[in-house]
């Protein structure tokens, strides 16, 4: 559905050239929810603007829904954009138009007759859950409702691709989750390919099938979300993963443990997929003569399954502790000894 080959984007400025996108290769399949994550200045906003032709690459090729976006312009590009819609962080609604009129706007532009237009708008209002708010103006809507209008408007022309530019950054956590759930529903119902950029790993974890991590214009890591969570390779990816998988006070807990437990081991367990559902701690206590204290932990759900970390303290005979650790490893759970006192 979307293919980028050796894409480079250089901006010229008085202080010199800035390489915002540096030799990026991506292959996004039809029907995927593909996340691009990075901190400010990583190049992700420039990259998403390249996908719908708002920017042209300095070099490389970009194909979206069968069209070479980097090669076309004018009327041909405007036609191609009907299949590539976009939603924005700050909604970009027409404040003098009602919900119904905002959603109808792209249909008016392409000359859809009023009867067909009204029918399509009614379908979209129902799809995004805005029944009863059709005649409200943007100033009368909550942030989440405004973004639902933006999503409905983006879907008006039945696009094949939906680009999301930090679409939940201006929303509170609860509203963010409701918008992400709506995007998943749209993806499943319509088979729509969704590409979203974000600096929040929670967004990636919640809805994406694949993720690309950007740093200084380059894609430094990419893959299936669950696998990236399981074995992040780059330091920036590890920082992002820790946002949602590891409690913030891990270091403090381990230091405090040195005072509470002068002997024994502090062990970090990493669960992926079915392993997260096992009664692991119960089985350890039943089968081995060790004391186990659960310190802290967190399990996160991804589109491909569960991922979690658990910190425990184990104490007992050295041989029994070793046997317990070996047992854990045989359950397809990764084990890292954090403290061995």
């Amino acid at each position: 559905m979307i293919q980028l080959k050796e894409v480079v984007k250089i901006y010229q400025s008085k202080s010199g050239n800035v390489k915002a996108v540096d030799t990026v290769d991506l292959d996004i399949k039809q029907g995927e929810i593909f996340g691009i994550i990075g901190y400010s200045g990583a190049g992700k906003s420039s990259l998403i603007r390249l996908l719908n032709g708002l920017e042209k690459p300095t070099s490389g090729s970009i194909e979206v829904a069968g069209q070479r976006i980097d090669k076309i312009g004018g009327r041909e590009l405007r036609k191609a954009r009907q299949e590539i819609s976009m939603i924005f962080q700050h909604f970009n609604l027409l404040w003098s138009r009602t919900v119904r009129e905002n959603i109808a706007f792209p249909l008016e532009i392409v000359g859809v007759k009023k009867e067909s237009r009204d029918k399509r708008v009614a379908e979209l209002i129902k799809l995004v859950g805005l029944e009863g708010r059709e005649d409200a103006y943007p100033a009368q809507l909550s942030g989440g409702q405004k973004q639902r209008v933006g999503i409905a408007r983006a879907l008006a022309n039945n696009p094949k691709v939906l680009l999301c530019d930090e679409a939940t950054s201006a929303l509170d956590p609860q509203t963010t989750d409701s918008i992400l759930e709506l995007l998943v529903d749209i993806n499943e119902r319509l088979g729509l390919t969704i590409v979203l950029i974000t600096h929040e790993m929670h967004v990636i974890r919640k809805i994406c099938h694949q993720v690309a991590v950007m740093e200084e214009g380059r894609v430094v890591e990419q893959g299936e979300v669950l696998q990236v969570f399981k074995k992040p390779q780059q330091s920036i990816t590890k920082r992002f993963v820790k946002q949602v998988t590891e409690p913030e006070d891990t270091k403090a807990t381990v230091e405090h443990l040195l005072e509470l437990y002068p002997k024994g081991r502090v062990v970090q367990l990493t669960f992926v997929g079915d392993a997260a559902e096992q009664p692991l701690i119960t089985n350890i206590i039943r089968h081995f003569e060790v004391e186990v204290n659960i310190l802290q932990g967190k399990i996160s759900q991804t589109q491909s399954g569960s991922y979690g970390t658990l910190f425990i303290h184990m104490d007992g005979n050295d041989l029994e502790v070793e046997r317990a650790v070996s047992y854990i490893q045989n359950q397809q759970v990764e084990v890292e000894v954090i403290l061995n006192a």
Side-chain angles (χ1 to χ4, degrees):
M1 176 57 74
I2 300 174
Q3 192 170 63
L4 284 72
K5 292 183 179 179
E6 298 185 345
V7 171
V8 175
K9 178 62 182 179
I10 298 174
Y11 294 100
Q12 295 181 342
S13 68
K14 292 181 180 179
S15 58
N17 292 341
V18 177
K19 188 177 282 187
V21 178
D22 188 359
T23 322
V24 167
D25 294 285
L26 286 178
D27 193 353
I28 302 173
K29 297 179 176 60
Q30 182 175 349
E32 276 188 338
I33 303 179
F34 193 100
I36 300 170
I37 190 169
Y39 293 114
S40 296
K44 56 190 188 297
S45 292
S46 294
L47 184 62
I48 204 168
R49 288 170 65 86
L50 290 168
L51 295 181
N52 63 0
L54 288 174
E55 300 280 357
K56 291 291 185 183
T58 304
S59 62
S61 65
I62 301 171
E63 183 175 317
V64 181
Q67 290 274 10
R68 278 290 300 273
I69 299 299
D70 57 303
K71 293 291 187 182
I72 60 176
R75 181 181 297 178
E76 197 175 1
L77 179 58
R78 288 193 294 273
K79 185 177 180 181
R81 281 181 181 154
Q82 291 179 28
E83 296 188 337
I84 310 169
S85 282
M86 193 164 182
I87 57 174
F88 305 88
Q89 178 180 359
H90 297 296
F91 321 124
N92 287 11
L93 301 181
L94 299 170
W95 295 89
S96 62
R97 285 179 169 242
T98 64
V99 167
R100 182 185 284 111
E101 290 166 344
N102 263 281
I103 297 171
F105 186 62
L107 297 171
E108 292 176 25
I109 291 175
V110 297
V112 175
K113 292 182 179 180
K114 188 177 187 307
E115 184 178 348
S116 299
R117 194 166 68 227
D118 290 346
K119 181 180 179 182
R120 178 62 177 156
V121 169
E123 292 171 352
L124 290 166
I125 285 173
K126 183 177 181 180
L127 177 66
V128 301
L130 285 173
E131 298 100 322
R133 305 297 286 161
E134 296 91 336
D135 297 318
Y137 288 89
Q140 299 170 308
L141 303 176
S142 67
Q145 289 171 333
K146 290 172 188 173
Q147 195 56 280
R148 287 172 186 269
V149 177
I151 292 170
R153 183 182 60 185
L155 298 177
N157 284 314
N158 292 301
K160 294 179 180 178
V161 175
L162 179 63
L163 307 178
C164 305
D165 185 3
E166 296 276 10
T168 59
S169 294
L171 306 175
D172 63 75
Q174 185 174 350
T175 306
T176 291
D177 283 348
S178 71
I179 294 298
L180 295 178
E181 288 165 6
L182 175 60
L183 290 174
V184 171
D185 183 52
I186 289 168
N187 167 257
E188 293 174 349
R189 286 197 199 189
L190 307 180
L192 192 66
T193 303
I194 298 176
V195 181
L196 60 86
I197 65 169
T198 183
H199 61 274
E200 300 172 295
M201 201 62 179
H202 167 73
V203 173
I204 301 294
R205 189 268 300 174
K206 184 94 175 174
I207 71 169
C208 293
H209 304 111
Q210 300 279 331
V211 61
V213 183
M214 290 194 72
E215 185 177 30
E216 296 181 351
R218 302 183 68 88
V219 172
V220 297
E221 190 164 351
Q222 63 177 299
E224 183 183 317
V225 170
L226 189 58
Q227 292 307 311
V228 169
F229 268 58
K230 181 180 178 182
K231 291 187 176 180
Q233 301 298 312
Q234 303 296 321
S235 59
I236 185 172
T237 312
K238 292 174 183 177
R239 291 201 300 272
F240 277 126
V241 169
K242 283 184 178 180
Q243 287 180 7
V244 291
T245 61
E246 189 172 304
E248 294 180 1
D249 57 348
T250 298
K251 183 179 179 182
T253 298
V254 172
E255 290 176 349
H256 182 55
L257 222 69
L258 284 168
E259 302 173 6
L260 292 180
Y261 300 101
K263 60 179 181 176
R265 299 186 191 182
V266 176
V267 180
Q268 177 180 343
L269 310 180
T270 303
F271 305 83
V272 178
D274 293 340
E277 313 300 329
Q278 297 180 45
L280 184 67
I281 303 302
T282 300
N283 289 339
I284 293 171
I285 295 171
R286 283 178 178 172
H287 294 100
F288 304 97
E289 294 182 9
V290 294
E291 292 182 4
V292 179
N293 293 296
I294 297 175
L295 307 176
Q296 59 186 7
K298 192 171 185 179
I299 292 180
S300 300
Q301 297 296 325
T302 75
Q303 285 285 74
S304 304
S306 302
Y307 177 93
T309 56
L310 182 67
F311 291 84
I312 64 173
H313 173 261
M314 288 197 300
D315 194 17
N317 179 277
D318 285 346
L319 181 59
E320 280 294 287
V321 172
E322 287 291 345
R323 289 180 61 218
V325 170
S326 296
Y327 169 79
I328 295 169
Q329 292 170 331
N330 289 334
Q331 305 307 304
Q332 297 182 327
V333 175
E334 293 185 19
V335 181
E336 180 182 355
V337 177
I338 303 297
L339 173 66
N340 194 356

